[in-house]
Amino acid sequence: QVGQLPDLDTIEGLVAHLFVQKLFETYGEEMAEEYHQMNDTSKDQLLYEAIQQKGAVLLLPEYKLERKQFESILKESVTVLTSIMQHLHLKPIGSEVEFNVSLDTIGAFYGSIDMVLKNANDDLVIFDFKWSESKHFKTDLEERKAMQLELYAEAAQKHYGKPIVGVAYYLF
């Protein structure tokens, strides 16, 4: 059987994650401040690289309109995200942080935390990114069925050896 491409929402989510990861890798703890200083050409170039790596289907002519809309939404969403980080005095210290721990609640747990940040007191905060077009996730949040962050907080506490003082989902 021939493999299928993921749906467009999944592809856009992968690109969004990679775009934020590239920002962190480039700017580290100063990601939020630097993003606000970046010109549109620099943002577009970094986003284009993420699309090439995780969403090349968006480069096809028939996806031109979807791509332009996606790029606009993502850049605006990252502007809001980095503004929130600045307002709350949060500095990213890790992006796509992998862990493999044993949790008291479920046993062996392997995963990747989208972003670990520290506040002004060096306390840790976790952000988990979701592409907002994922309708089922929004429903799960509204119905309080999303447990991922609770498990991530427990895992990060073991991984870092210090408590997690805040967790949040950020829907792009």
Side-chain angles (χ1 to χ4, degrees):
Q1 180 177 348
V2 177
Q4 288 184 298
L5 286 174
D7 63 72
L8 198 54
D9 282 346
T10 300
I11 290 169
E12 289 172 343
L14 293 170
V15 171
H17 275 81
L18 183 58
F19 181 60
V20 173
Q21 183 179 358
K22 285 178 167 290
L23 286 168
F24 172 74
E25 289 171 353
T26 303
Y27 299 111
E29 289 187 11
E30 302 306 315
M31 182 185 112
E33 293 75 15
E34 292 294 331
Y35 186 76
H36 290 275
Q37 300 300 318
M38 289 175 73
N39 62 38
D40 286 338
T41 302
S42 297
K43 291 176 185 176
D44 290 342
Q45 179 59 40
L46 201 61
L47 182 50
Y48 182 75
E49 291 171 13
I51 289 171
Q52 283 181 309
Q53 290 177 17
K54 292 289 185 174
V57 68
L58 292 169
L59 299 174
L60 295 172
E62 58 266 34
Y63 287 102
K64 184 176 182 178
L65 182 62
E66 287 90 347
R67 177 179 157 208
K68 291 298 174 196
Q69 183 179 17
F70 165 70
E71 289 173 342
S72 175
I73 291 168
L74 180 59
K75 287 188 292 187
E76 179 59 30
S77 188
V78 173
T79 297
V80 171
L81 171 67
T82 53
S83 294
I84 291 168
M85 290 166 60
Q86 287 179 308
H87 179 76
L88 296 176
H89 306 287
L90 296 173
K91 300 278 188 182
I93 62 167
S95 176
E96 301 299 329
V97 177
E98 293 185 3
F99 58 85
N100 187 358
V101 296
S102 179
L103 302 180
D104 297 335
T105 52
I106 63 169
F109 185 55
Y110 173 80
S112 178
I113 299 171
D114 295 336
M115 185 163 281
V116 179
L117 307 101
K118 67 178 179 178
N119 65 17
N121 297 323
D122 282 337
D123 297 321
L124 299 181
V125 175
I126 295 172
F127 282 178
D128 189 56
F129 303 131
K130 301 293 181 194
W131 181 244
S132 65
E133 298 298 316
S134 178
K135 308 233 183 327
H136 80 50
F137 182 75
K138 188 173 180 183
T139 302
D140 285 352
L141 278 177
E142 290 166 353
E143 295 175 2
R144 298 187 161 293
K145 292 181 183 174
M147 295 179 41
Q148 184 177 9
L149 272 183
E150 293 175 37
L151 294 173
Y152 278 9
E154 188 178 343
Q157 185 167 331
K158 284 197 173 217
H159 181 79
Y160 285 100
K162 60 191 294 187
I164 306 304
V165 299
V167 296
Y169 287 110
Y170 185 78
L171 283 81
F172 287 109

